[in-house]
Amino acid sequence: MELWASARRSKVSGAIVGLGYLVLLCTIGVESRKSSKRDCFEYAAISCRAYSASVSDFGGVGDGTTVNTEAFRAAIDHLSQFSLEGGSLLYVPPGRWLTGSFNLTSYFTLYLDKDAVLLGSQDESEYPLIEPLPSYGRGRDADGARFSSLIFGNNLTDVVITGANGTIDGQGELWWTKFRAGKLNNTRPYLIEIMFSTSIQISNLTLINSPSWNVHPVYCSNVVVQGLTILAPVRSPNTDGINPDSCTNTRIQDCYIVSGDDCVAVKSGWDEYGIAFGMPTKQLVIRRLTCISPTSAVIALGSEMSGGIEDVRAEDITAINSESGVRIKTAVGRGGYVKDIYVRGMTLKTMKWVFWMTGNYGSHPDNNYDPNAIPVIQNINYRDVVAENVTMAARLEGIPGDPFTGICMSNVTISLAQNRKKLQWNCSDVAGITSEVTPKPCDLLPDQGQGKIRACNYPEDNSPTENMEVQTCSSFRNRW
């Protein structure tokens, strides 16, 4: 194995120099061996790798029934020795690869072939129990420990999870059934969770049937989530699409999500635990997102937002048959804040609400939350929104005595459904302004008249997320 890896490094490492040499390298390699083009492949990543191997070289069998947990663990353990020598890539060939939870390593790429399917084991023993997140104090489903995610990483640097639109299937139906029946003693596993890490890329994959949340970067920085297709039955419990949680500098773009819960849920800890941990989510960009979620939000801010959420920019958002557009969820006891939120360019079709803010969400981890911990919600901006077949324009409910302030809406056109509510704007404990919004907003959001849309301007400066670039990399599928 080491000799093979060294040989592969001599062919691959030069590819990092530039795209022109990289393409030539693939072409020359294929022609010199007179073999098919599938030996060499290219992919976009934040970092290229010097070494590569296939999970099949570690005893993996992609027949859909052989359990490959130890093969993945052995492969990653072997490749971890190259972390400081140019990094490594683990290739998952065509096949159906049944596996339990496995941990990633630094300076590492997991690459799924277009015909590769990772199948999450339905055996609870294949998922080690880990401690609750410190900013949550307990598991989301139950007190105490939680199951490790299918793909897990902790304290890592420079990790890429990508492919040619290969599939990760969590086989979540058994987990959903146990959860609904109250037969789980621990919180369900996610598909992908990366903790306390930096320089993370998750891209060009199809994720289906997660037991719970799909993608959960938590306590991370410099995260790119791009080109994901995420699918779950619309009645499946808590199958959120992408949940950036206490993360800084995150970019989510070009994703298509069908979910039983929020398509994107921005979080930062739960009540007193999140307040004590004190790590906000900030500098988040969400763009070119398409969402279908009949019972939840396209983008949710909260409800676990006790560490704070700030500087969120969302644009070019499309939703079909979803409950609400961008929703703010919070409650007394949460503390923290949601501020400096900017949304522009939403196209919404068949919605229950366009705008929804909730100050009485409830759902506490325990009874030890501080009733004096009042969240601050301010500077929330929406512009250039078109919605059709809408039941109710807005439901905006702040907190009595502590209103949500600085709400700005401009250039909003809402066409109503036949089963529309008689009251289109239900507002309490909120304050702000509107301009060119139809139907006419509530009195707490007075119309400033035509030509005032500059009041809700989207920031023109570049977010730090724009500094995260990908390059074209090359690797090989097969042994020489």
Side-chain angles (χ1 to χ4, degrees):
M1 179 61 65
E2 292 185 6
L3 289 175
W4 172 50
S6 297
R8 295 181 75 166
R9 185 181 193 279
S10 68
K11 295 287 185 179
V12 178
S13 59
I16 300 173
V17 175
L19 178 58
Y21 179 64
L22 182 150
V23 174
L24 183 63
L25 172 64
C26 279
T27 303
I28 291 175
V30 171
E31 291 178 350
S32 66
R33 297 191 309 277
K34 297 182 179 181
S35 57
S36 69
K37 291 184 179 180
R38 67 182 181 179
D39 291 331
C40 182
F41 63 92
E42 297 169 4
Y43 61 99
I46 56 176
S47 299
C48 302
R49 309 303 182 195
Y51 294 85
S52 61
S54 169
V55 69
S56 60
D57 302 313
F58 295 83
V61 179
D63 60 4
T65 58
T66 301
V67 179
N68 293 286
T69 309
E70 292 306 318
F72 277 101
R73 291 174 180 174
I76 295 169
D77 180 66
H78 173 83
L79 291 172
S80 67
Q81 68 182 298
F82 305 116
S83 292
L84 300 181
E85 299 178 24
S88 58
L89 177 146
L90 180 62
Y91 172 71
V92 182
R96 295 173 62 81
W97 304 87
L98 180 64
T99 180
S101 174
F102 57 87
N103 295 348
L104 305 182
T105 188
S106 291
Y107 306 101
F108 175 80
T109 296
L110 178 68
Y111 184 94
L112 273 65
D113 186 274
K114 67 181 180 64
D115 295 318
V117 181
L118 280 189
L119 294 171
S121 173
Q122 295 180 319
D123 182 350
E124 291 184 20
S125 68
E126 289 284 346
Y127 297 84
L129 291 175
I130 59 177
E131 292 296 313
L133 293 169
S135 59
Y136 283 70
R138 54 160 286 169
R140 289 299 283 113
D141 295 342
D143 286 331
R146 58 200 187 99
F147 291 110
S148 180
S149 63
L150 181 63
I151 300 174
F152 182 72
N154 190 16
N155 284 303
L156 302 180
T157 300
D158 189 359
V159 172
V160 177
I161 305 169
T162 190
N165 203 32
T167 299
I168 303 175
D169 183 351
Q171 300 199 107
E173 187 169 0
L174 180 63
W175 295 95
W176 306 332
T177 300
K178 289 181 177 180
F179 171 74
R180 290 178 174 130
K183 294 182 178 180
L184 288 173
N185 296 319
N186 303 99
T187 295
R188 287 164 287 163
Y190 307 144
L191 278 193
I192 300 172
E193 182 177 67
I194 308 295
M195 299 175 53
F196 293 110
S197 299
T198 187
S199 298
I200 307 299
Q201 174 188 332
I202 304 169
S203 65
N204 300 328
L205 296 166
T206 296
L207 312 182
I208 63 176
N209 300 323
S210 177
S212 185
W213 300 353
N214 280 269
V215 177
H216 186 220
V218 56
Y219 320 136
C220 290
S221 62
N222 302 327
V223 179
V224 177
V225 181
Q226 180 172 346
L228 297 185
T229 298
I230 299 177
L231 306 174
V234 295
R235 299 296 175 181
S236 55
N238 312 115
T239 51
D240 302 36
I242 304 166
N243 291 4
D245 195 341
S246 294
C247 288
T248 298
N249 202 21
T250 302
R251 186 173 76 224
I252 300 169
Q253 63 185 32
D254 302 314
C255 293
Y256 177 87
I257 302 174
V258 181
S259 174
D261 210 310
D262 303 319
C263 286
V264 174
V266 185
K267 301 177 181 294
S268 66
W270 202 5
D271 285 6
E272 69 270 24
Y273 303 103
I275 294 171
F277 197 76
M279 183 178 290
T281 288
K282 58 184 180 180
Q283 297 168 351
L284 168 65
V285 169
I286 305 168
R287 61 165 70 106
R288 298 187 298 274
L289 167 71
T290 299
C291 168
I292 298 175
S293 182
T295 61
S296 293
V298 179
I299 300 173
L301 306 172
S303 74
E304 304 92 332
M305 39 63 66
S306 301
I309 297 172
E310 62 180 301
D311 189 8
V312 177
R313 308 179 189 189
E315 60 179 334
D316 298 333
I317 308 300
T318 300
I320 305 165
N321 189 23
S322 296
E323 187 175 54
S324 60
V326 178
R327 183 184 180 189
I328 295 175
K329 302 189 287 187
T330 189
V332 171
R334 286 289 193 271
Y337 53 84
V338 177
K339 64 181 183 180
D340 303 336
I341 310 300
Y342 305 94
V343 181
R344 71 175 176 187
M346 287 201 300
T347 302
L348 312 174
K349 299 181 180 181
T350 308
M351 308 291 293
K352 188 173 183 179
W353 294 286
V354 175
F355 305 108
W356 192 8
M357 301 182 186
T358 307
N360 60 350
Y361 192 78
S363 178
H364 300 285
D366 51 41
N367 294 323
N368 297 321
Y369 66 91
D370 181 1
N372 296 314
I374 307 298
V376 175
I377 313 299
Q378 64 184 24
N379 193 25
I380 313 297
N381 301 272
Y382 308 91
R383 63 171 296 162
D384 307 334
V385 178
V386 177
E388 61 183 54
N389 198 28
V390 173
T391 303
M392 185 173 180
R395 179 180 173 184
L396 309 177
E397 302 166 325
I399 296 174
D402 290 278
F404 299 172
T405 62
I407 299 169
C408 184
M409 301 177 183
S410 62
N411 192 26
V412 176
T413 301
I414 300 172
S415 302
L416 301 177
Q418 289 187 346
N419 64 338
R420 70 192 68 176
K421 296 288 186 181
K422 184 176 181 180
L423 178 65
Q424 278 299 305
W425 291 78
N426 187 358
C427 307
S428 60
D429 302 296
V430 296
I433 59 173
T434 58
S435 175
E436 299 184 69
V437 175
T438 57
K440 184 179 182 296
C442 57
D443 292 341
L444 294 177
L445 302 175
D447 185 359
Q448 304 300 295
Q450 292 185 354
K452 301 293 185 180
I453 61 173
R454 291 176 61 85
C456 306
N457 267 355
Y458 194 91
E460 297 301 329
D461 62 309
N462 283 334
S463 168
T465 64
E466 306 301 337
N467 297 327
M468 298 183 291
E469 298 181 352
V470 298
Q471 57 187 305
T472 305
C473 303
S474 174
S475 190
F476 296 94
R477 293 180 172 88
N478 304 316
R479 290 178 183 260
W480 290 103

